[in-house]
């Protein structure tokens, strides 16, 4: 959680809809709704694979270089590829300028993202190589690590790296006692809990799981289920984004 | 940048095979069952020079944690709270795989997970560590020092951090002439105020089985680990999947239930080894032959000092006048 900055705004409004009380969030979303999500594959010409992912105002670009010769040589492993992962925030991506030097937070997130990707990349097919995965947060509005992992897995697919499944991520939060999907920065700042989750949805595997904050056992189980549903929607959007780039459109009429 | 680790020691295939065969019968190499924690020993107050400290032995894993304090300006967004900093060092004497140098990603991750587990539930009452709102607050450093690595550094470190905080005292704060404070470690004013006790329960996944409190060998074989922070009142105070590999969706829920069931073992160790020490410290603070004002909580005492300040000011002015007079 980002730490409380300033006065706490009203983040949840209770409204009557069709005779039922529903929690409405500060941006008008219902608890189980994602922000508008946009994905584009193959956005950088130099990279072997790349993707741009937006969760609302959060915008992350990911690029993959490799599999390529391991430099320096001594980092190479004889039986598999080495994954090198960097999650990084642009200095202008946040309200206050963020130092471009890697922070402890970025070191930790680079690690948990790499470990999540290790579980899907078929690294044993590329011995003695490295696969470099770079993620840059261009604009931060909460959920950057999960948007980054979603982008990274699209970039890996775009690079043609063999994978068991795509990886999609989303953060669930507890805001004013309500479990909400895909929390943004304001919600995160005042949340009682923030739980980023990433899964290989086709395999039903949990690859990244963190909890910052406090939940009861039952809230955790409900939060995880909320995340899973969001992840399935993001997974569908990922496959669509890949199809947009790779599926050749049926030739219309002319038959060329 | 995070790299696939290359320094994974080779585990003899035969041993790995033995481990997996035994696990199918629910037994581990060291004879424990899947949900068993190794023997725990905690020595509170191990480093007398520190404001608080504790040495934890979890099987062959040894972790020392120390609490030090200083007085700083609070963060602008939390003017009414002290500052808590958790730091971990994997010193090279603890394992052949540790290298000298600044903390690597593993040490940073461990410190951050423990920091969050303590911070989010407000384990330490930081609001009681304020000397002057917006200006002067106590900063608590919890430094975690791994001395011998035989697996499960998370649980041992969390236990050491909690035990060190529970056996820590806040020194006296003495007003300085420039309006600040300096720390007087010759006497103490109060125990570190603790709202909640938190421990972590780590489980390693080896061929579809979850093992509580994994040894180093088990961690080498494990696909992944899940760290669950649990408060004494049975809430989940934090969580981290660590290590490559995955957990099944159902497996995660099962692991959380196991963590909630196992956590009391750690809390019992805190009660048994640390509570008598904390009670002794509390008695010493009460018996301290000091003026009543000094036995007050620092925040109250600070308030009093602020109120008394106008009385002191003329003296300073006089001194300044004298100095000017001398110069003239």
């Amino acid at each position: 959680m980002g730490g409380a900055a300033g006065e706490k705004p009203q983040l949840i409004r209770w409204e009557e809809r069709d005779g039922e009380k529903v929690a409405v969030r500060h941006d008008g979303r219902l608890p189980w709704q994602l922000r508008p999500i946009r994905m584009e594959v193959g956005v950088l010409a130099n990279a072997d694979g790349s993707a741009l992912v937006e969760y609302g105002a959060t915008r992350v670009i990911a690029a993959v270089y490799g599999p390529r010769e391991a430099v320096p040589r001594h980092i190479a492993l004889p039986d598999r590829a080495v994954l090198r992962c960097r999650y990084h925030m642009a200095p202008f991506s946040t309200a206050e300028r963020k130092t471009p030097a890697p922070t402890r937070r970025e070191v930790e997130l680079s690690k948990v993202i790499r470990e999540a990707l290790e579980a899907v990349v078929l690294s044993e097919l590329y011995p003695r190589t490295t696969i470099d995965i770079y993620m840059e947060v261009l604009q931060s509005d909460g959920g950057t690590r999960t948007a980054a992992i979603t982008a990274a897995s699209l970039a890996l697919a775009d690079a043609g790296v063999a994978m068991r499944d795509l990886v999609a991520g989303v953060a669930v939060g507890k805001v004013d006692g309500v479990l909400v999907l895909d929390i943004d920065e304001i919600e995160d700042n005042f949340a009682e809990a923030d739980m980023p989750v990433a899964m290989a949805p086709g395999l039903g595997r949990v690859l990244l799981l963190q909890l910052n904050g406090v939940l009861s056992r039952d809230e955790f189980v409900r939060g995880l289920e909320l995340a899973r549903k969001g992840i399935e929607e993001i997974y569908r959007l990922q496959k669509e984004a890949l199809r947009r780039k790779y599926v050749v459109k049926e030739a219309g009429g002319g038959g060329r | 940048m995070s790299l696939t680790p290359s320094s994974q020691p080779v585990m003899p295939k035969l041993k790995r095979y033995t481990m997996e065969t035994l696990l199918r019968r629910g037994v581990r190499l060291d004879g424990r069952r899947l949900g068993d924690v190794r023997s725990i020993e905690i020595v509170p107050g191990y480093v007398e020079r520190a404001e608080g400290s504790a040495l934890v032995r979890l099987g062959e894993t040894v972790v020392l944690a120390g609490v030090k304090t200083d007085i700083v300006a609070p963060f602008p967004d939390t003017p009414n709270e002290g500052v808590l900093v958790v730091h971990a060092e994997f010193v090279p004497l603890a394992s052949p795989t540790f290298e000298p140098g600044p903390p690597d990603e593993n040490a940073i991750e461990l410190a951050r997970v423990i920091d969050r587990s303590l911070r989010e539930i407000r384990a330490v009452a930081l609001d009681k560590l304020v000397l002057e709102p917006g200006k002067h607050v106590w900063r608590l450093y919890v430094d975690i020092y791994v001395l011998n690595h035989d697996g499960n550094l998370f649980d041992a470190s969390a236990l050491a951090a909690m035990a060190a905080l529970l056996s820590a005292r806040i020194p006296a704060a003495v007003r300085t002439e420039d309006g600040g404070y300096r720390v007087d470690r010759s006497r103490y004013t109060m125990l570190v105020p603790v709202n909640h006790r938190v421990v972590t329960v780590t489980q390693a996944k080896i061929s579809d089985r979850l093992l509580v409190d994994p040894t180093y060998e088990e961690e080498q074989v494990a696909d992944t680990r899940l760290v669950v922070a649990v408060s004494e009142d049975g809430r989940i105070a934090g969580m981290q999947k660590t290590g490559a590999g995955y957990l099944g969706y159902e497996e995660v829920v099962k692991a959380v239930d196991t963590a909630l069931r196992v956590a009391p073992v750690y809390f019992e160790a805190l009660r048994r080894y640390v509570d008598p020490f904390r009670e002794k410290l509390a008695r010493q603070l009460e018996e301290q032959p000091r003026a009543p004002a000094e036995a007050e909580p620092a925040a109250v005492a600070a308030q009093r000092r602020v109120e008394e300040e106008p009385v002191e000011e003329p003296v300073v002015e006089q001194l300044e006048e004298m100095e000017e007079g001398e110069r003239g």
Side-chain angles (χ1 to χ4, degrees), chain A residues 1 108 111 114 207 217, chain B residues 2 109 112 120 241 257:
Chain A
M1 299 191 304
E108 183 201 343
K111 176 180 188 281
R114 176 182 59 74
L207 308 181
R217 189 256 179 207
Chain B
S2 176
E109 180 189 33
R112 284 178 55 86
E120 300 293 346
K241 181 219 148 206
D257 286 337

Side-chain angles (χ1 to χ4, degrees), chain A residues 34-78:
Chain A
L34 295 164
R35 288 175 282 184
I37 289 181
R38 205 176 74 84
M39 298 178 191
E40 199 182 336
V41 175
V43 291
L44 298 173
N46 278 351
D48 295 312
S50 62
L52 183 75
V53 169
E54 291 177 11
Y55 290 9
T58 287
R59 186 178 304 147
V60 183
I61 194 164
V64 168
Y65 285 86
R68 60 179 174 181
E69 188 183 356
V71 180
R73 269 228 167 107
H74 67 84
I75 67 165
L77 297 175

Side-chain angles (χ1 to χ4, degrees), chain B residues 194-206:
Chain B
V194 173
N195 291 327
H196 297 282
R197 295 182 177 195
V198 179
V199 296
T200 65
V201 178
T202 299
Q203 293 163 80
K205 179 185 166 179
I206 301 177

Side-chain angles (χ1 to χ4, degrees), chain B residues 7-298:
Chain B
S7 60
Q8 277 170 342
V10 181
M11 152 108 32
K13 265 196 172 159
L14 191 62
K15 196 165 202 177
R16 194 185 175 121
Y17 176 78
T18 312
M19 191 186 278
E20 284 171 357
T21 312
L22 279 172
L23 276 179
R24 255 175 263 138
R25 283 188 266 145
V27 184
R28 296 157 74 169
L29 275 184
D30 57 8
R32 281 186 291 161
R33 285 167 304 165
L34 301 185
D36 290 349
V37 174
R38 288 171 287 179
S39 68
I40 305 169
E41 191 197 343
I42 306 175
V43 185
Y46 186 83
V47 179
E48 284 99 346
R49 288 294 292 273
E51 274 81 306
S53 64
L55 181 83
V56 167
R57 290 177 203 279
L58 181 60
E60 296 293 326
T61 289
V62 185
V63 176
L64 176 61
V67 175
K68 291 300 291 177
T69 57
D70 58 6
I71 297 167
V72 292
F75 288 115
D77 54 347
T78 52
N80 293 308
E81 283 184 14
V83 177
L84 177 71
V85 181
V86 181
H87 197 88
E89 294 276 345
F90 291 2
V91 285
L93 58 73
S95 162
T97 62
F98 290 171
E99 301 278 349
D104 66 357
E105 60 179 23
N106 298 304
I108 289 174
E109 180 189 33
L110 177 124
R112 284 178 55 86
V113 169
I114 290 172
D115 181 299
R116 291 196 290 263
S117 306
L118 295 172
R119 184 180 307 279
E120 300 293 346
I121 200 167
R122 303 186 155 271
V124 178
L126 295 176
D127 55 322
K128 293 185 183 139
L129 297 177
V130 180
L131 292 164
E132 211 180 310
K135 286 194 175 157
H136 307 288
V137 299
W138 285 103
R139 172 165 61 186
L140 298 188
Y141 274 105
V142 179
D143 282 292
I144 294 163
Y145 232 59
V146 175
L147 296 181
N148 196 63
H149 180 11
D150 187 25
N152 201 6
L153 295 182
F154 277 91
D155 293 6
S157 301
L159 207 53
M162 196 68 238
L165 284 166
L166 285 169
S167 34
R169 296 169 292 180
I170 302 290
V174 180
R175 193 94 212 193
T176 56
E177 278 188 17
D178 59 3
Y181 289 90
R182 77 179 164 76
V183 182
D184 176 7
R185 288 196 177 78
S186 68
R187 59 209 169 89
Y188 295 94
T189 54
M190 63 171 176
L191 297 173
V192 165
V194 173
N195 291 327
H196 297 282
R197 295 182 177 195
V198 179
V199 296
T200 65
V201 178
T202 299
Q203 293 163 80
K205 179 185 166 179
I206 301 177
S207 42
D208 294 325
R209 270 162 222 270
L210 292 164
L211 288 68
V212 169
D213 179 27
T215 61
Y216 181 73
E217 270 179 353
E218 288 169 339
E219 286 182 357
Q220 293 314 303
V221 174
D223 304 312
T224 194
R225 278 175 286 157
L226 185 69
V227 183
V228 183
V230 180
S231 64
E232 201 161 18
D233 55 6
R235 287 181 290 163
I236 307 166
M239 214 181 293
Q240 181 99 337
K241 181 219 148 206
T242 180
Y246 67 91
L247 289 158
Y249 186 81
E250 304 296 330
E251 228 167 9
V252 173
V253 178
K254 197 179 133 196
V256 166
D257 286 337
T258 303
L260 291 170
R261 206 173 54 240
V262 170
V265 176
Y266 290 130
F267 288 120
E268 174 54 31
L270 284 175
R271 276 195 295 275
R272 181 167 159 211
Y273 290 104
V274 184
D275 279 4
F277 187 82
R278 187 169 168 83
E279 281 154 23
K280 192 180 85 191
L281 290 181
R283 275 198 305 278
Q284 282 173 0
L285 283 171
E286 267 172 36
E287 289 161 9
Q288 229 170 198
R290 301 284 176 191
E294 285 159 10
E296 287 172 315

Side-chain angles (χ1 to χ4, degrees), chain A residues 49-238:
Chain A
S50 62
L52 183 75
V53 169
E54 291 177 11
Y55 290 9
T58 287
R59 186 178 304 147
V60 183
I61 194 164
V64 168
Y65 285 86
R68 60 179 174 181
E69 188 183 356
V71 180
R73 269 228 167 107
H74 67 84
I75 67 165
L77 297 175
D79 56 342
R80 54 162 294 172
V82 168
L83 296 194
R84 289 199 294 190
C85 224
R86 188 174 98 135
Y87 161 98
H88 185 247
M89 291 178 100
F92 44 76
S93 63
T94 48
E96 304 268 320
R97 179 176 185 268
K98 190 226 140 248
T99 166
T103 58
R104 287 163 65 86
R105 175 177 174 276
E106 286 166 324
V107 170
E108 183 201 343
L109 296 191
S110 298
K111 176 180 188 281
V112 292
I113 291 172
R114 176 182 59 74
E115 290 172 342
L117 295 172
E118 301 263 16
V120 289
V121 172
L122 291 162
S123 48
E124 59 273 25
L125 297 182
Y126 313 105
R128 299 178 302 280
T129 66
T130 56
I131 301 173
D132 295 332
I133 304 150
Y134 302 119
M135 291 151 280
E136 290 290 336
V137 177
L138 302 181
Q139 181 162 272
S140 157
D141 188 22
T144 58
R145 82 195 68 176
T146 48
I149 203 166
T150 300
S153 102
L154 281 176
L156 281 164
D158 186 35
V161 173
M163 288 191 287
R164 295 177 175 85
D165 195 3
L166 289 169
V167 184
V170 75
V172 165
K174 184 182 168 193
V175 178
D176 285 343
V178 182
L179 289 170
V180 296
L181 183 62
D182 187 19
I183 59 172
D184 63 19
E185 189 168 293
I186 297 181
E187 289 178 323
D188 186 17
N189 283 345
F190 297 99
E192 294 108 74
D194 163 31
M195 180 166 80
V197 184
M199 293 180 66
L203 304 169
R205 293 175 176 178
V206 178
L207 308 181
L208 180 147
L209 178 62
Q210 297 180 290
L211 170 64
N212 318 323
V214 185
L215 292 177
S216 72
R217 189 256 179 207
D218 290 337
E219 284 168 342
F220 166 71
V221 173
R222 282 191 286 131
L224 192 62
E225 180 59 19
L226 194 60
R228 195 181 61 79
K229 286 190 177 141
I231 282 167
E232 268 164 20
E233 174 63 13
I234 293 165
Y235 186 49
R236 195 183 60 74
L237 295 169
Q238 280 178 309

